[in-house]
Structure formats: C-alpha cells, structure tokens
Amino acid sequence: MSNLWDLSHLKPRTDVVLEGDTITAMFWNAVAKRGDQIWLREKDLGIWRSWSWTQVGEAVREIAGGLMSLGFAAGDTSSILSNTVLDWVLCDLAVLSCGGVANGIYPTDAASQVHYLCEDSRTRVLFAQDDEQLDKALEVRGQLPLLAKIVVFDMEGLRDLDDPQVISLDALRALGRAWNAQHPDAVRQRAAACKPDQLAILVYTSGTTGKPKGAMHTHGGLVYAAHGFNALLARSEDDEAMAFLPLCHIAERMGGEYMALYTGTRLNFVENPDTVPENVREIAPTVFTAVPRVWEKFYSGVTIALKESTRLQQAAYGWAIGVGRQIAERVLAGQPVPALLKARFTLARWLVLDNVRKMIGIHRARYLVTGAAPISPELIKWYLALGVPMLEVWGMTETCGASTGMRPGRIKPGSIGPAADLNQVRLDAETGEIQVKGRNVFAGYLNQPKKTAESFTPDGWLRTGDVGTVDAEGFYRITDRMKDIIITAGGKNITPSELENELKFSPYITDAVVIGDARPFLTVIIMIDQENVEKYAQDHDVPFSNYASLTRAPEVQALIQGVIDEVNRKFARVEQIKKFFLLDTQLTAEDEELTPTMKLKRKLVQTKYAPQIEAMYGA
C-alpha cells in the first residue's frame, strides 16, 4: 500500500530494463528472457485466463507466419478494427514482426470512416473483431482494391459464412503453423530486419476538423518513448495494469501495451467497456492510467453512495476524508507530516478510506495517472486524501504520449508538471503556445506533407496548439487550446476549460462546453450524467418518461442551476455563466458529437446546436 507521506517507492528507473532498438526486438527479447512468467490476462466466460510470454510468442509467431503465407510483405500495412481485446495485441505484434505497419481503427467508426482509413493507409490485411465490425468492412471492400484479406477474431454468428476473402484468426494461425514448419526462420529473419528508423505504427487523430491525419511513429521513436516514460514513472514485473482504453489511441498503445512489453508489467484486459468498474475491483491494478472522465465517474459513485448512507457513516467519512485532506495539503506544500497526524490517518484508513479505495478498486494502486484532457485540481486532491497519488501527464498523439509529467515527490494540482526528460518543452514568446522537440516526436502525417510542415516551427519544434504558462520551478500549466480561447464582446479573455473542469467535478455533469466568443456573456451546453441524475430524480419523486423528459424536468434544471451557481461563486462576475442548455439526446461513442475518449467536440457541438445557443442569447 502506498503511504501518502512517503513517495520514495515511486522512484523512476533510468537504466534500460529490456534490450532492443525496435519494438519487435524488445518483444522477442522479452519472450526469451521472461518465458513462463505471466504477461497477459483476459476474462473468458467468467474465468480469467493467463498467457505467459512463451504462449504470447507462439501465437504471435503463428499469426505472423499466416500473414507471410498470404503474401504480406515488409512495409505493408494492416489495420485492426476492434475493441481493446487481447487478440489486438497479438495481431499488432505479429504485424510488426513481419516488418509491417500496424494501424488501429476505432470500433465506433462508421463504414465510411473504415473505408477512408484503410484507403489512406493502403491496408492489405484488415483484422475485425466480430460480425458487427466485419459488416462495415464488407460494405466498403469493393472500394478497396488493395485489401487482400479480412481476418475475424470472433466467428460467433459467422459459422456459415462462405467468403474467400474472409477467414478466422484461428484459420490464419493454422496457416501460420504450416508456413512456419516449411520456413522455420522466416518470422525471425523478418523481425530481425526491422530498423529503428522504420515506420512501425499509424495513429490517426480524431479528425474533429477535416479528415483524420495518420501520425507516423517509428520503431526507434516508440522504444525511446518507452525508456523515457519509465524514467518518469517506473513500472516493473511486479506491477498489474489494466487495458481498457482504445488501443488505437496513443495512450493505451504506448502507456499500456508497449510499456507493459518493456517493463514486464502484467496487462489485464477488461471484458468490455461496460464492465470496467467491476473489472477494476477484480484486477485491483497497482498502476492505473485513465482519462479524467473515468476518475470523475469513480468520484461520482462514491458521492452518490455517501448520500444513501447513514448519518453515522457520513460523519465517519467526513472525519476521515478531512484527515486525508490535512495530509494532502502538507504533502502538496512540501511540509513534514507530524506523527500524531500520521496516526490519525492510519485510523482513518482503517475505519473508512480503505473501504472507499476498495469500492473503486484502487486499494493496491501505487499511483494513478491522468491525462488526455484537463482535470479538476480538486479531484486530484480528493484522490490524494484517500492516500493514492494522482499524477497528471500531458502529451499528444504526435509526441507519442507524455511530454510533461508530475513527479511523485512534487505534485502541483492544476499543473501538467515539468518537461519529461525524454524531450524539450518551451513556450512561444508571442503566442504562449507549448512546443515540443525530441526523438519521441512523430515522423509526420501520412500522405500529408503540407500538414506535416505546418505542424513544425522553422527551427523544428512541434506546434502543439495548446497555450500555457510555466512557473519558476519549470511546471507547465495549460490555459487552453489556441483556438478555444474565448474573447467576449467586452474584450475579456476567458479560459473555458477552467469553468468546464469545475462543472465536471459535479457528479451530475459528464461534460460541458462553455460558449461566449464575441458574446455579451457566457453560456454553457451541458451533458448530464444519466445514471446519477436518474437516481436523483427517483429519490426526489421527479416524474420522467425518457432521457429527453429527464433533462427538461424543472427539478433537474434547478439541480444543474445549483451546480452552476456554486461554480460561479469561484469566478469574477465577467467570467460567470448566465444561462445553460442541457443536451436532451443520450450520446454514445457512436455519435459524432463525442470523441473516442467521450469528450464533446467543441466546434461540432457549437455548430450542431447553434439554434439552442442563439435562443440563450436571443432571450
């Protein structure tokens, strides 16, 4: 268990823990070195199944052999259209072991998007998770002359399929076994031929404006990033991590799969996106990386459960979290913690806080990592009060993930930390834009030399588009996206993310988009937390028949107005929100308004809901 006042157990490792200058070299070195140790775990039919490094190596060799038997050449691209499942990792490593390029496609993408991504990447083999994903591929394959084969992970419901272009993953592995028997050194030779400057993976940006862009990452850049991340927040073979974020996103690909490969951390796959809370409690990860929405959801769950508890339980929690906050404030200020306060915190953990941690599933966590979007400083302090350090990192697809990060020994909520040792970070003197330079920075956008050139300054620094500040200790703070800063009609510069983070701290609000550019005052579009607001409505006898009627109920409108009023008290009058609008459609990852990490797309929302926005100002 982590001790909040002693973070020495979180020291980084600057030595190379696994040799290899390409992802393929590291992987096959890991198989040879770690052998029968467990690496991957998945839950199948209610039972956890473990995969040793040797077993993973055998599967990867078979899949790679199967690809080669189909004529998959070095430099060819394969795309993976699937949720985060263990087969994703096997196929990714097999493609790389063939000297190929691996690309991920979000399972929420429509058939038209699958077509664009496969065409742009020149995909030769497409891996699809199941019949649902296969249907998308079959719909557009006529427009993809380069697509040679579609390989399906889960053939349930497809037993009677007779299509020469479609085979199962099991059938591909059978082809691989036969190929490897006839060509015993083929996979090894192909893997050994990979070079550090060779293209390894494509990670397409979400494409909120225009078509998605394929960020190109080389083997050497990925390996360099893995070394650098371990020097920021070290992991080991004793750690347990959880794979649940999309593997086609740089966070899970780099911070999950490749970091687990490099460090030997056991990687556990959740059953599906809906079982994450249950699986967290089962796995009890020792290192846990997630996006702010996940951390907000856990906090909301505790908050709602507390409202249903007895007065004695509420009083006990209030006392315990109060002690935790005293500890947290001292740690954040760099002050020593008195022995008596340590003793009180030990009692607080025994009586209350350990149970809260177990309720979430973070009772074994050495540290928590948050990134991909801004997070409320108050939320970081709450997890610290529970006794678990939450460390914010910042980066982007183009920097291979984290470019700055909080060190365990010095945490500043509201900051994204100093520059990570793997790269340089600076602020543009005129615009305040955060810019990055390092070997972890991507090799450019596939097929888009103009966009690539626009992404760099004349002296070779990556333009991130984030605006920030840096303090005397070198800690950076993001104030906003360059394109998101609001300038009101009165000339006041407003940072919408600060207001939005405060709103999202409420258990009743999932996301928010503040409006006000060239407007006389600020308004906000809000997406409510369905589960928590429904619970509130049921507890207070608020009638509703569906999601839309729930958002329109006067009591719910008053509930959200109360949250806004509370947030407004923290800001100057010119920065306060005057009116709001609740989205009355229940959005999922399939809806265009949301990014794959479940964030509202600011520009699209403003365009799509322009009439509602105008109504707020028109009145």
Side-chain angles (χ1 to χ4, degrees), residues 415-436:
S415 162
I416 55 172
D421 293 338
L422 78 165
N423 54 209
Q424 298 171 272
V425 179
R426 75 178 187 186
L427 294 182
D428 181 83
E430 293 184 8
T431 64
E433 180 186 34
I434 300 174
Q435 298 174 348
V436 178

Side-chain angles (χ1 to χ4, degrees), residues 300-321:
S300 295
V302 172
T303 301
I304 297 300
L306 187 63
K307 291 183 178 180
E308 299 176 346
S309 61
T310 66
R311 289 188 177 182
L312 178 60
Q313 290 171 322
Q314 291 174 358
Y317 171 84
W319 172 80
I321 201 70

Side-chain angles (χ1 to χ4, degrees), residues 40-51 86 240-243 267-272 275-276 278-284:
L40 307 179
R41 293 175 73 236
E42 63 177 342
K43 197 171 186 182
D44 183 32
L45 299 176
I47 300 174
W48 284 97
R49 179 191 174 192
S50 298
W51 290 62
L86 190 145
E240 297 265 2
M242 191 174 75
L267 195 58
N268 300 269
F269 290 80
V270 300
E271 294 170 85
N272 60 67
T275 62
V276 170
E278 173 190 336
N279 293 152
V280 174
R281 290 189 287 270
E282 289 181 85
I283 296 164

